[in-house]
Amino acid sequence: TGEKVRFLFTGRYERRKGIEELTKVLKKWLPENPAIEFHFVGPVPDKKKIKHAAVIYHGAVTEQEKLRSLYREAQVLVCPSYSEGMPNVILEAMASGCMVIATVVGATCLLVNNKTGILIPPADSDALAAAVRSVMTMSAETRMLLRTEALKSVKENYLWKTVIQQVIAAIEKRINN
């Protein structure tokens, strides 16, 4: 669309986070797509960093307000992990209004669906590239719709008042059976 799209990866530099696939995709995409801006939050070794003006490394961010700001400024969280449980990073990003590209591992499919983002198989750089391409070619309105649905999903399903009611109901059911 010609509009700059801000992507965010948050995590440690380790194999199971899918960062090698992400790096491979970015190295290919950056020369062809000046509309991408990609932010990394988390420790990344200097020798593994991509040297490009559109890639910004923030390092480990411990200040909560700075981290919140990075989430709010992003449009798309990329979580290409090989293994996850219930990833807080996805909840945090969705609560900040990000759509999500994530792998189908752990509980990600409970959080991400075709209304809130794009699910891809783990360890598949071609699928990751296709997901990035899809985000880059969708209209700004479509991206905003996915972002709005992501925020709505967190509000409706993952706020403490809702979660605690579900836990209490599950415990009561267990006790009564």
Side-chain angles (χ1 to χ4, degrees), residues 31-75:
E32 302 169 10
N33 293 279
I36 288 179
E37 184 175 292
F38 209 100
H39 293 256
F40 283 87
V41 172
V44 176
D46 286 338
K47 66 182 181 180
K48 299 290 185 175
K49 291 180 179 178
I50 299 169
K51 309 292 189 255
H52 193 283
V55 180
I56 298 98
Y57 293 92
H58 298 275
V61 176
T62 56
E63 184 187 328
Q64 285 186 353
E65 194 49 47
K66 181 175 181 184
L67 187 57
R68 279 189 202 115
S69 178
L70 289 166
Y71 277 120
R72 283 189 216 119
E73 292 167 4
Q75 296 169 321

Side-chain angles (χ1 to χ4, degrees), residues 1-16:
T1 63
E3 168 192 333
K4 203 163 270 274
V5 180
R6 185 176 285 195
F7 291 80
L8 176 68
F9 172 90
T10 303
R12 298 175 306 278
Y13 189 93
E14 66 177 62
R15 186 73 188 117
R16 72 180 184 95

Side-chain angles (χ1 to χ4, degrees), residues 139-149:
S139 69
E141 292 79 20
T142 300
R143 277 194 304 274
M144 184 54 77
L145 179 62
L146 291 165
R147 295 172 66 198
T148 301
E149 285 297 318

Side-chain angles (χ1 to χ4, degrees), residues 11-157:
R12 298 175 306 278
Y13 189 93
E14 66 177 62
R15 186 73 188 117
R16 72 180 184 95
K17 294 296 182 184
I19 198 164
E20 284 84 2
E21 287 78 13
L22 180 55
T23 299
K24 179 180 176 183
V25 168
L26 288 176
K27 283 181 178 179
K28 179 179 185 216
W29 265 84
L30 288 169
E32 302 169 10
N33 293 279
I36 288 179
E37 184 175 292
F38 209 100
H39 293 256
F40 283 87
V41 172
V44 176
D46 286 338
K47 66 182 181 180
K48 299 290 185 175
K49 291 180 179 178
I50 299 169
K51 309 292 189 255
H52 193 283
V55 180
I56 298 98
Y57 293 92
H58 298 275
V61 176
T62 56
E63 184 187 328
Q64 285 186 353
E65 194 49 47
K66 181 175 181 184
L67 187 57
R68 279 189 202 115
S69 178
L70 289 166
Y71 277 120
R72 283 189 216 119
E73 292 167 4
Q75 296 169 321
V76 185
L77 175 78
V78 180
C79 186
S81 299
Y82 287 33
S83 170
E84 288 288 351
M86 178 72 138
N88 287 334
V89 67
I90 291 177
L91 284 169
E92 291 166 351
M94 290 173 66
S96 299
C98 290
M99 64 173 290
V100 179
I101 296 172
T103 48
V104 185
V105 294
T108 58
C109 61
L110 298 176
L111 302 169
V112 182
N113 57 51
N114 63 354
K115 292 182 180 180
T116 61
I118 301 170
L119 287 169
I120 60 173
D124 188 338
S125 57
D126 291 336
L128 181 56
V132 170
R133 184 178 308 108
S134 177
V135 170
M136 293 304 297
T137 58
M138 66 179 56
S139 69
E141 292 79 20
T142 300
R143 277 194 304 274
M144 184 54 77
L145 179 62
L146 291 165
R147 295 172 66 198
T148 301
E149 285 297 318
L151 179 57
K152 179 180 168 189
S153 176
V154 170
K155 285 181 177 179
E156 291 177 355
N157 301 302

